[in-house]
Amino acid sequence: NAGVMQNPRHLVRRRGQEARLRCSPMKGHSHVYWYRQLPEEGLKFMVYLQKENIIDESGMPKERFSAEFPKEGPSILRIQQVVRGDSAAYFCASANGLAGADTQYFGPGTRLTVL
Amino acid sequence: GENVEQHPSTLSVQEGDSAVIKCTYSDSASNYFPWYKQELGKRPQLIIDIRSNVGEKKDQRIAVTLNKTAKHFSLHITETQPEDSAVYFCAASLTKLVFGQGTRLTINP
């Protein structure tokens, strides 16, 4: 699972700014999942993407949050007009998509702090 | 949607003893049940998983059991060691992972 890359590892933003988080899946993996973890809490599903498609965005807030996984390049989670409540660790995970329920391997996470 | 309950929230055991963490799930369609270990400030790491066509799986000191009828599954760690101290999360999945709330396991030397 060392193959899942996320950057930046730490991101500090002021209220109202935009945060852009990147995730490069493991080689050969075409499925990407984003999860959010608040301090001292569990992981909450946000969005599931395959190349160029959003499969399930049921866990993502309707406003200010968007995600994409383009044909070329990493998956990006974008948070516009950040607020203090967005401060959390954001993890992406990747899977190879060969089975209905795949083993997901997590990246190191991006820790977002909103001042 | 799926809902996963995990107990206990904290667990403290003596080194060498066994630890058991239990989870229940609500969606009978879920067919994949992984367990992740997360150390402070680190990523969740998969330690063992089980699919719905299997009742038990073991990997050295770690075992997982699944009761599909009752919709619950458990993690068993035997001969615990200080490095087993961490937060453990169960999850249930059909596609996306739905996590339990986590169990903070402390191994006392």
Side-chain angles (χ1 to χ4, degrees):
Chain A
N1 62 355
V4 181
M5 306 293 288
Q6 286 187 253
N7 68 81
R9 296 290 305 277
H10 300 273
L11 182 61
V12 179
R13 285 287 179 265
R14 297 190 180 280
R15 282 179 296 169
Q17 292 184 320
E18 178 179 289
R20 191 173 292 215
L21 289 61
R22 296 175 196 78
C23 170
S24 296
M26 284 179 70
K27 186 176 181 181
H29 285 191
S30 59
H31 294 217
V32 167
Y33 305 78
W34 285 92
Y35 296 87
R36 177 165 64 178
Q37 186 174 35
L38 296 171
E40 302 296 319
E41 293 190 12
L43 296 106
K44 302 294 185 187
F45 167 79
M46 298 182 72
V47 62
Y48 163 32
L49 309 105
Q50 297 177 23
K51 283 286 187 181
E52 299 185 276
N53 287 301
I54 296 175
I55 307 302
D56 181 350
E57 56 182 348
S58 59
M60 199 154 67
K62 293 286 187 287
E63 297 182 355
R64 301 189 299 108
F65 286 73
S66 63
E68 62 178 8
F69 189 13
K71 185 177 180 181
E72 301 291 337
S75 175
I76 295 175
L77 179 67
R78 183 189 301 171
I79 311 173
Q80 296 178 301
Q81 300 174 358
V82 296
V83 300
R84 290 218 173 102
D86 297 332
S87 295
Y90 292 82
F91 290 96
C92 79
S94 73
N96 62 20
L98 295 179
D102 292 314
T103 300
Q104 295 183 22
Y105 297 96
F106 281 79
T110 294
R111 280 149 185 83
L112 172 65
T113 302
V114 179
L115 301 177
Chain B
E2 176 66 276
N3 182 53
V4 178
E5 297 287 334
Q6 182 173 346
H7 298 280
S9 57
T10 60
L11 180 60
S12 183
V13 302
Q14 288 298 121
E15 183 178 353
D17 288 350
S18 295
V20 180
I21 302 170
K22 299 181 179 182
C23 290
T24 61
Y25 61 100
S26 61
D27 189 349
S28 56
S30 289
N31 59 7
Y32 175 63
F33 307 92
W35 287 87
Y36 287 86
K37 174 184 179 182
Q38 188 178 32
E39 297 175 354
L40 188 63
K42 301 287 183 63
R43 75 184 79 189
Q45 289 201 311
L46 180 73
I47 57 171
I48 196 168
D49 57 9
I50 192 168
R51 297 188 185 271
S52 58
N53 57 349
V54 176
E56 185 173 357
K57 184 177 178 181
K58 188 174 182 180
D59 182 4
Q60 300 183 332
R61 297 186 297 109
I62 295 172
V64 58
T65 59
L66 172 64
N67 183 327
K68 284 186 62 180
T69 302
K71 289 189 283 188
H72 67 69
F73 55 114
S74 301
L75 177 71
H76 305 252
I77 306 174
T78 58
E79 301 172 13
T80 53
Q81 301 167 2
E83 52 266 37
D84 294 330
S85 294
V87 179
Y88 291 80
F89 292 97
C90 65
S93 173
L94 188 56
T95 53
K96 65 193 180 196
L97 292 172
V98 178
F99 285 87
Q101 299 88 336
T103 296
R104 183 174 301 278
L105 176 62
T106 302
I107 308 302
N108 300 310

